[in-house]
Amino acid sequence: MTQATLRTIWMTGALLLFVFVFTMHSETQNSDFTLVIKLPIEFKASENISHVGYALHGLRMIGLVFWTIPFLAWIHARGESGSAASAFPFRLLDIQPASVPGVVVQTIAFLLLIVAPLVSAVHFWQIVEGEGKVCQPIPAIACEGIWSRPVEPGRYWDHTYRLTDGTTNRGPSYEPFVEPILALALLAVALGFVILLLREMCRAQKRPLTIHEPS
């Protein structure tokens, strides 16, 4: 795969994820402003979702998908040389990444596409962990925290549990204990790839400049 193809794949995935995360973040703030991209598929809630539900969806998406963004960026950086800005796979029009305007563009892109999702993940986690309640279909059963499972739990992933804000037992399906562990583990993986990306961007400055296809 060429560097240009890798950049195209990376930018498509990173921008789509940014739009989704931005929308979920806005919904947790009860904001009417969202970013919209016309796609063959559409994310649309089938019912009113609380800010806890939006935080859960945002955390799930970041956990499942975000690690691929710094991972692919790291792969790209390993094939670049000359400057840290060029090693980062974002490109805007014909601006040269190593130029002064290019460095500014690359810095902004890094903050929006790498740092911002991590900040949103912390925001989502604070809502889910601090305000989320695990409820069951039977209203008589008291809702508990996100780590709690009954003494005799049902099967996994059978829609027994719902994550809500505690005011109702209606909300997204949720697996207590399992999902928080998976989310934290995947976020740790993503953070590890971010560190590798930063290290490889620094190394790119020390490698002899080589000629690739046009950036």
Side-chain angles (χ1 to χ4, degrees):
M1 182 185 300
T2 66
Q3 291 289 84
T5 300
L6 182 57
R7 282 193 291 270
T8 300
I9 294 173
W10 182 88
M11 288 180 62
T12 301
L15 290 172
L16 288 176
L17 181 63
F18 174 79
V19 170
F20 182 89
V21 171
F22 184 92
T23 300
M24 295 299 100
H25 197 123
S26 297
E27 292 292 350
T28 64
Q29 303 295 312
N30 296 320
S31 171
D32 293 329
F33 179 75
T34 58
L35 297 177
V36 178
I37 293 181
K38 292 295 183 180
L39 296 172
I41 58 175
E42 178 184 10
F43 174 83
K44 185 177 181 180
S46 59
E47 58 181 327
N48 292 330
I49 297 180
S50 68
H51 68 291
V52 172
Y54 281 112
L56 176 62
H57 289 311
L59 188 62
R60 282 172 169 171
M61 182 61 74
I62 293 176
L64 290 173
V65 178
F66 175 67
W67 66 269
T68 64
I69 304 303
F71 170 72
L72 291 177
W74 171 58
I75 295 298
H76 177 272
R78 295 177 64 184
E80 292 292 320
S81 59
S83 71
S86 298
F88 191 63
F90 186 81
R91 296 293 185 270
L92 180 63
L93 302 177
D94 59 351
I95 299 176
Q96 293 300 316
S99 66
V100 174
V103 171
V104 173
V105 168
Q106 297 298 82
T107 301
I108 294 174
F110 185 89
L111 292 175
L112 290 178
L113 302 179
I114 300 294
V115 177
L118 289 174
V119 173
S120 288
V122 174
H123 170 71
F124 295 148
W125 173 258
Q126 289 175 337
I127 293 176
V128 170
E129 198 275 335
E131 303 178 40
K133 299 295 181 183
V134 177
C135 303
Q136 297 185 49
I138 303 175
I141 301 178
C143 299
E144 301 184 44
I146 65 170
W147 300 96
S148 303
R149 292 184 69 88
V151 177
E152 296 181 2
R155 294 174 299 175
Y156 289 102
W157 316 113
D158 63 353
H159 306 292
T160 298
Y161 310 105
R162 303 279 177 168
L163 188 72
T164 76
D165 57 4
T167 61
T168 175
N169 65 341
R170 295 175 61 86
S173 297
Y174 178 79
E175 276 300 325
F177 188 77
V178 177
E179 286 204 51
I181 291 294
L182 288 176
L184 292 175
L186 289 170
L187 286 174
V189 171
L191 184 59
F193 281 126
V194 171
I195 294 172
L196 289 175
L197 168 61
L198 290 172
R199 186 179 69 173
E200 204 61 41
M201 288 170 64
C202 292
R203 287 180 173 179
Q205 301 178 91
K206 302 176 182 179
R207 287 194 286 265
L209 182 63
T210 55
I211 304 299
H212 295 291
E213 73 279 2
S215 299

